[in-house]
Amino acid sequence: MKIYLYGLASGYDAEHLIRLFFPLAPVTAEPPAPDEDAVLAGLEGDTLTVTLRRNGEQATETAVYSPDEAVKPDRALADLAYGLLRRHTGIRPPWGKLTGVRPVRLINDARAAGRSEEEIKQEFLHWADCTPEKFAQARLIADVQAPIIRQGSGCKDYSLYIGIPFCPSRCSYCSFVSCNLDRDKKLVQPYVDKLCEEIAEFRRQAQQSGLRLHTIYIGGGTPTSLSADQLRQLMGCVRQNFPLETVREYTVEAGRPDCTDAEKLAVIKEYGATRISINPQTFSDEVLRRIGRRHSAQDILDCYAQARAAGHTDINMDLIAGLPGDTVEGFEQSLRQAIALDPENITVHTLTLKRASRIIIEGQQDEYADVAAMLQISTRLLQQAGYQPYYLYRQKNTLQNLENVGWCKPGHEGYYNIYIMEEVHSILSAGAGGSTKLVHRDSETIQRVFNFKYPTEYISRFDEVLERKKGVTEFYEHCCGTQTSG
Ligand code: SF4
């Protein structure tokens, strides 16, 4: 299946709408041959046309577009394509026409703009064609988030992200920049040294701009790829530079048991983390093997027990629905196992097919079970077990266009996850691949400062990394007229 767009200044909306039905279809610049499966959509004169050609059959719809219309032609074409594709593919996208990654944000923003609950409901159910179940879940999450967003939405509030781009092996679904520890071990120590310098620079920038730190998140990659001593160095640097006693949440991803041990878990606790994440993804040994993990389900159970023994009282576990080789029954077993451990958070992701992942490169993408059924099971079992959804986001190219949902025991909402996903405040991001997002809600300004993607460049061009940090104070001087405090 190909996508061919014509006659538009921008085809962004139409392209992403068509991808709800054909997630991996490439856009082609040339008209496809008459016998090729394709969606052709475009504007000619005042006529919008969408054609679906598939398996030798063809369906076409047209509409008149007037330049006076409030909607742009690309959006009008997307709406036309939605109707045609929904009728002729038999696919009913659960989120309807919503292609964005933050459906909950739409509710939060509409409420902030004073729209009534009825208006918001009409927009989701009728204009967007969202299912009542998805809308109800999004609204419930918006309710849970409201007080947390209020607490963190001051124009000087921020969170700090620290990235560790190393992993013991590469998972088949991974599209992140993550270096293999076996191959790149010699980079780790210089990387940690530079990272500590960058963290200290962020502290200076934040101080100068009068910012208030809310949450810290050390993610990756796999932060526990660092040795226990390197973790001490890094977390010691964080403790030295930031007032942990006033930070509301400090998360460290102890993602994989093949590089997490009792000593590292004790260091993470000792140096002030309040929340960790141990990510089984599945409790099936066979699926773990298929996705390239070099550990067993028993290793995850042992790691979890070690984390509790080290005193961690707020633990998240990530699971993924739709892993290659998994089944609906297998996913349910994994979920029941996670629930039996009684972690404070369980995050259920839907597998995303990224072009850089081994799954796509090696063509394994045809072997997926019913992901929608998996998510329905997760909603039922997690609610029964006393978990509530507290954040939700979608990614492009997610199986069956579904979502990722963070569930928690009440009172254990992961604040950082809400702050980043709802763009509540600035996220200063340290490390290779870091993307600092500066947010000023009052003036609706968002600006990004990027770090180099790969650790080698991050280390060798570190002067430039530091130079770019000046963007933080410049942003706040511009948005808030900050007088520097030195
Ligand atoms: S642990 Fe995460 S970052 Fe590392 S290879 Fe697996 S998916 Fe990628």
Side-chain angles (χ1 to χ4, degrees), residues 14-218:
E15 176 188 335
H16 289 286
L17 193 293
I18 294 165
R19 288 242 171 81
L20 296 179
F21 298 86
F22 303 108
L24 291 171
V27 173
T28 162
E30 297 298 322
D35 59 346
E36 275 187 296
D37 286 355
V39 180
L40 304 93
L43 176 66
E44 242 172 4
D46 64 353
T47 305
L48 297 165
T49 306
V50 180
T51 297
L52 169 66
R53 281 201 318 238
R54 198 161 64 142
N55 304 329
E57 296 192 358
Q58 178 163 318
T60 296
E61 262 183 46
T62 60
V64 174
Y65 179 78
S66 153
D68 304 334
E69 285 180 35
V71 288
K72 294 193 173 125
D74 179 26
R75 182 67 249 171
L77 191 65
D79 290 345
L80 188 68
Y82 180 81
L84 176 93
L85 296 177
R86 194 182 152 181
R87 271 189 296 284
H88 290 274
T89 60
I91 295 170
R92 196 277 184 247
W95 290 96
K97 292 181 207 171
L98 297 178
T99 54
V101 298
R102 299 183 178 87
V104 177
R105 170 98 192 257
L106 298 176
I107 299 178
N108 288 331
D109 286 352
R111 284 177 173 173
R115 310 269 304 282
S116 73
E117 292 300 307
E118 187 53 31
E119 283 175 315
I120 297 170
K121 183 176 169 186
Q122 291 304 321
E123 190 149 323
F124 267 76
L125 297 187
H126 293 124
W127 177 81
D129 195 35
C130 181
T131 62
E133 296 75 29
K134 293 296 178 203
F135 173 60
Q137 189 177 48
R139 191 161 59 175
L140 174 63
I141 292 172
D143 293 344
V144 172
Q145 289 182 348
I148 296 168
I149 289 177
R150 264 197 303 278
Q151 289 164 20
S153 59
C155 75
K156 295 292 186 76
D157 295 335
Y158 81 105
S159 289
L160 175 68
Y161 178 85
I162 298 165
I164 308 294
F166 299 98
C167 290
S169 65
R170 191 158 177 87
C171 304
S172 63
Y173 54 85
C174 182
S175 62
F176 299 118
V177 172
S178 171
C179 300
N180 190 305
L181 258 195
D182 292 343
R183 197 191 55 208
D184 295 314
K185 205 170 183 70
K186 62 180 184 315
L187 289 177
V188 180
Q189 187 57 52
Y191 180 81
V192 173
D193 293 341
K194 293 297 181 201
L195 194 53
C196 289
E197 285 186 49
E198 191 186 6
I199 289 166
E201 181 58 27
F202 264 141
R203 192 259 301 153
R204 280 189 284 276
Q205 297 285 330
Q207 213 167 27
Q208 208 169 354
S209 301
L211 307 187
R212 285 180 298 270
L213 179 60
H214 276 250
T215 71
I216 302 171
Y217 196 104
I218 303 184

